[in-house]
Every structure is written in C-alpha cells, then in structure tokens.
Amino acid sequence: MDTEEGTALQLGARDAGGWRQRAARLLPALRWARRYSRGDAVADVVAGVTLGLMLVPQSIAYASLANLPVQYGLYSAFVGTMLYVLLGTVKEVSIGPTSLMALLTLQTCRGLPIEFVILLTFLSGCVVLLMGFLRLGFLVELISPSVTSGFTSATAVIITVAQLKGLLGLSFVAESVVENVELIARNWRSVRAPDCVLSLVCCTALLALRKVKDLPVSPKRRALRQALWLLSISRNALVVFAASTFAYCTHDPARPLFALSGRVEPGLPRLGLPPFRAELGNRTVGFVEMVQQLGSGVIMLPVVMVLANIAIAKAFSEGGRVDATQEMVTLGLCNMAGAFVRAMPTCGAFTRSAVSHSSGVRTPAAGLYSGVITLLALKFLTQYFYFIPKACLSSVLICAVIFMIDYNIVVRLWRRDRGELCIVALTFVVSVWRSVELAVLSGALVCVAATQLALLRAPLHLHVVKSAAGEAVRARPARALLYLNCERAAARLRRAAVGRRVLLVDCGVLAMLDYAAAQTLASLIKEFSENNKLLIFYNASTEVLNKLEQVEGLDARALRARDVAAALDMTRAPPAAAAGETADAALLA
C-alpha cells in the first residue's frame, strides 16, 4: 500500500510539474514573476517611464503618418505593451505603432474610412496568430537580410519625402514619392515661413539632443552622465512639449501661426468589436467587400510585421535564441486585442527596444508602466494635443527614420557580393516607385531564383586518377543533385567516361539528392552497365547515404568507402548476399 501511495505521489508531482511547464510556455511571465525582486521593479519602473516618454510623441507622429487622427496612435500604444508583459519572451521588445506599420497602413487603407484600419489590425492579428499556431516562422527566413535592408531604407526615404510637406507647412494628399515631389514643386509659393523656421529649430534640437548622451563625461560624474542620457532619449517628448507650448502661447484662432494637429477626441477609447461593415461612399459594405478593398495588405502586412518583430527579438534576446512561435502568437493576440480599442496595426520597434535595453530593463514588466503613461496622456492631455504643430511631428518622424537608411551595406556588398547588392537595389527601387509589399515579394522571389540558379550551376569537379584497374576518372559533385542540374551533371559524366572503363563519383560534399536526380542516376548506371563500364559511388555523406542506397542498380558496397582504392576493392569483392548463397549451396550439396 505504501508503495502504491508513493507511486501515486510521484505521478501527481510529475503531472504538476508538467502542468507548470505548459503554463510557463503559454504565459512566459510565470517564469520571471517568481523571482521578481524589488531591484527588478525599480529598474523596470525607470525603463518603463523612459519608454513612455518616448512612446507618446512617437505614437502621435505615427498616427499622423498613417493619415489618422492622432488619438489613434495612442489607442495603439498601450494594449500591446501591457499584453506583452504576460505573453512576451524578450524583455526589451515594446509592441506599439511603428513607422513601417504606419506606412503600410497608409498604403493599404488610403482613402478608406477608419473602420478599414481597425479591421486591418484585427485581420493582421488573426493571420499572425494562425502563423504561430501552424509554426510558419520559417517563411520569414525566405526574406533575406538584403531584402530587409532594401525595403527598410526605402521606407525611410518614402517617409522622409512624405513628411516634407509638414516641414514646409503644406497640406495635400499624395500617393507616391514622385507625386509628393511634384505637388511640393507645384505648391512652392504656398510654403509657410513660420512652419519652415519651426521645422529647422525642431530638427536641429532633435539631432543635437541625440548626440548629448555621447558627450565626454568623467566616469566619476555618474549623475551627470545619466542626466545627459535621459535628456537624449526624452528628446521627442521635450521637443513636442516645447513646440506645443510655444504654439499655445502664440495661438490666434483667427490667424494661427502654425498648422496645428487639430481637435483630438478626448478620453479613453470605447471598447467594442472590430467593425465588420462600414460606410463607403453612399453605401454600406459588408465584411467580404471590406476584405476585398484591403487586398493583399491583409497578407503582406502581417508577414512584414512578423519579420520586423522577430528580427528585433533576435537582436536583443540572450544568445540570439527566440521562441518564434510564442512571439508570433503574442504579436497576433496584441493586434487582435488592439482592434477592440480601435488601434492601428502594431509590432516591435528597434528604437524603443534600444531605449529599453539602455535603460537597464530587467523584465517585460516595464511595458506596464509605459502603457500607464499612455493611458494618463489619453485621459488628461488630449485637449492639449490640439496645439501640436504638424511641422514638429514631421520633424520627429524625419529625425527618427533617416537613421534607418543603411548606407554601409552598399559598400560592404560592393566589395563582397554584388549579386546581393543587386537584390538590395531592386527592393529599394520597387519600394520607392511602387509599394513596400511588392518590393518584399519581388525581393523574396529574386532570392529564391538566385538560390535556384546557384543550384543549377552547382560545380562538378573532374580529375583523372591512377588505380590498380588503370586510369579512371573521379567526379566530385558539390552542393546538390536535383531536378535542376541532374541532366547537366549526367551529360558531363558521360563525356568524362569516354575512352575509360571506370568512373568514380565522390559524394563526400553532396548535401541534397531528390527523386528526379535518383532516377537520372539509375538510368546512367544502366547505360554504363550496358557498355561494360563501371560507375562507382563512394564516400557518401550522411545527408544522402540512405537515398543513394535506394537508387536502382547502384552498388551500395562502396558508399561508405573513404578513398578510391577502398571503393575499387569493395566493388571487386563478391557481394555478401551472393557469397552467402554459394555457401548455402555447398552445404546442401
């Protein structure tokens, strides 16, 4: 009885341990909450408040970039940060509005009511959540770093050109870089001098404050160094506050000095289901037609969202290891929940993650405090958002994204791999002239095509070797034998075997072999046999050993031989099966 009770207790403890592990996988907060200390709490409060001071003006600027009322940027800034506290795995990641998401939202929902933006947020979350459940994170690996660099740099250029009108005090609607430049040139006489001066002051202040943290300060003056660092990372909030205060003090309702953001809906967002119908023109459209209006953005935006978020998570995670499935599930839930408070699409931002990291963040709990700051801003400050000059918001956006342009990759790839440089250039040009979605798709397809071309041209090294059987040819296929290159390789083997009886194929660096190549090899073996020639495969790598053993007609005895002599010796020995049959026949006789 005691033994049975002990076994039952062990099984119960094992079940409890398994339940805790499953719960910790679903809610990563359970992993760090048990060892959360007072020191961790203080560090997270500092990091969270610092992040909040950056997040509020950023969210307002990104809403403006997406051509949305500024409060929608703040609606998007608190749900993701708070939900990530429970579900996130990387402490530095902050889910919220980003320049890339704002630009893609603008391109997808241009000219459509706000209900389409909210539905896009919800559908993007559903797609990302489904990708997480199906473990489709590997699809992101199809998008190479060259493609990522190309569309990121192009995004920075597109945003900069689009915000030039704000710097100049102009107001118009444009859909492309070329159209923006044309409209600026056409409306040049309408440029407002006060907005230009304010833009110049704001950009100068933002760029100067960015460098404040790098001023040489004695290590002994730690307080001063921390103060300069805090001043630097809070530059967006400080500049927006200063510009808004000046605009408020000089405001003349009859003749305003600057172009202002305008009235902002006060208070917290109302909770409600995502809209599945909307008014478009003079008619009501249903869910299906809304999805049709959103088009390819329903798929492409989630893919870019996952790409950006996992890249940031990898950059800041310990050892570069990321639970991609959990990150996708979390990102999907954050966007789905955001749609219930009328948020625009969100994901992680590298700048915010870098600020969290430099702030000494200990756990994802820092997102709770930055979310609280956003809620306080929505509750008590929305009436003052009216006085934020558009020139100031444009300055914040431009000074944030110009550093996303990757100049260095051009020099590196010019020296090392000009083919990859062509992919960067293609992605950049397509992004600027057409759309980011098309650029990502075309860049990924070109990368796949380049890989296929490399496999098509996989080298086949041929050498003449001396052996006990006389002169023979040794072939060494590299990379892979696939449907792309198997016929080409077979033709070269036929030509190499002319005038010689033995041809050996060294499979030591052969990593891939598909069905079409196996069939081609079987035909080649049969052809050699009919011509009284030997085709010997040896030194097979572990990746293709089993597949080679299944090729019809192939003598598998030499596959594990490591050199030419051993391979020839093995093929000259009688097969084991035949030797066994001879011995059995002798015994029967």
Side-chain angles (χ1 to χ4, degrees), residues 138-152 307 311 409 413 417 419-424 427 439-448 450-451:
F138 70 91
L139 293 177
V140 178
E141 304 299 331
L142 295 176
I143 302 175
S144 73
S146 299
V147 175
T148 304
S149 174
F151 84 76
T152 302
L307 173 67
I409 195 172
L413 291 180
D417 192 337
E420 287 291 319
L421 182 58
C422 291
I423 294 175
V424 173
T427 310
V440 173
L441 181 61
S442 59
L445 291 177
V446 169
C447 286
V448 172
T451 303

Side-chain angles (χ1 to χ4, degrees), residues 36 92 94 126 135 162 181 248 393 400 408 441 469 488 508 513 562 572:
Y36 198 64
E92 289 87 357
S94 168
C126 292
R135 300 180 180 274
V181 174
Y248 175 79
L393 292 180
N408 295 327
L441 181 61
R488 182 169 175 264
L513 182 77
R562 295 305 172 207
R572 279 200 297 266

Side-chain angles (χ1 to χ4, degrees), residues 336-386:
M336 291 174 67
F340 285 83
V341 293
R342 307 170 72 191
M344 60 187 283
T346 58
C347 69
F350 190 87
T351 52
R352 293 198 297 268
S353 299
V355 167
S356 293
H357 180 73
S358 59
S359 301
V361 65
R362 299 281 185 86
T363 70
L368 177 64
Y369 307 111
S370 59
V372 168
I373 288 180
T374 306
L375 289 173
L376 291 175
L378 274 169
K379 184 66 177 176
F380 300 109
L381 300 179
T382 47
Q383 58 182 323
Y384 302 108
F385 293 158
Y386 174 91

Side-chain angles (χ1 to χ4, degrees), residues 515-537:
Y515 177 77
Q519 294 298 104
T520 301
L521 293 180
S523 300
L524 193 64
I525 291 168
K526 183 179 179 181
E527 179 182 327
F528 271 56
S529 177
E530 291 173 350
N531 294 324
N532 293 320
K533 292 184 178 183
L534 282 177
L535 181 59
I536 302 170
F537 292 82

